[in-house]
Amino acid sequence: MTAEVEGAGEVKNLELLSYNILLDLCLNLKNWAVNLTDSGDGQQFIPKLMAWEDSIRNYVEGGGTISLEISFDGPRIDGYYGQEVDGFQMGYIGTSGSARWHISGVLYVKTTESWITRSAIYRISIAV
């Protein structure tokens, strides 16, 4: 019974960690898009994404108890013309009413702590 209680706590911690990673990515994508003048400029995100993934991995694994696999696949930047966005993600990064870009992609997060592994796939859809 004690192991089950501890396991439930670990699962909840891993879930919260993956949501924090998701929201951190959304906020960074918003900040990186501030100076975009053309959707083709989105290629400049690649080095930033790689550095972000490394910093998140180093932060999470720095404590030594959690391992992390993370990737942001299919990043896409298009002009924003009213495409559907994720309300949870937008609620966190905020809206200005003057969005120019729609950013989408798929974030994969796999966390492991002791004997528990949690995998999550998040579809990113934000307007910035």
Side-chain angles (χ1 to χ4, degrees), residues 68-88:
L68 174 69
E69 293 177 36
I70 184 173
S71 66
F72 183 51
D73 299 329
R76 184 176 169 116
I77 301 170
D78 297 304
Y80 180 64
Y81 304 105
Q83 296 94 318
E84 188 174 331
V85 295
D86 184 280
F88 176 67

Side-chain angles (χ1 to χ4, degrees), residues 83-99:
Q83 296 94 318
E84 188 174 331
V85 295
D86 184 280
F88 176 67
Q89 296 164 12
M90 290 303 298
Y92 181 76
I93 67 172
T95 59
S96 65
S98 60

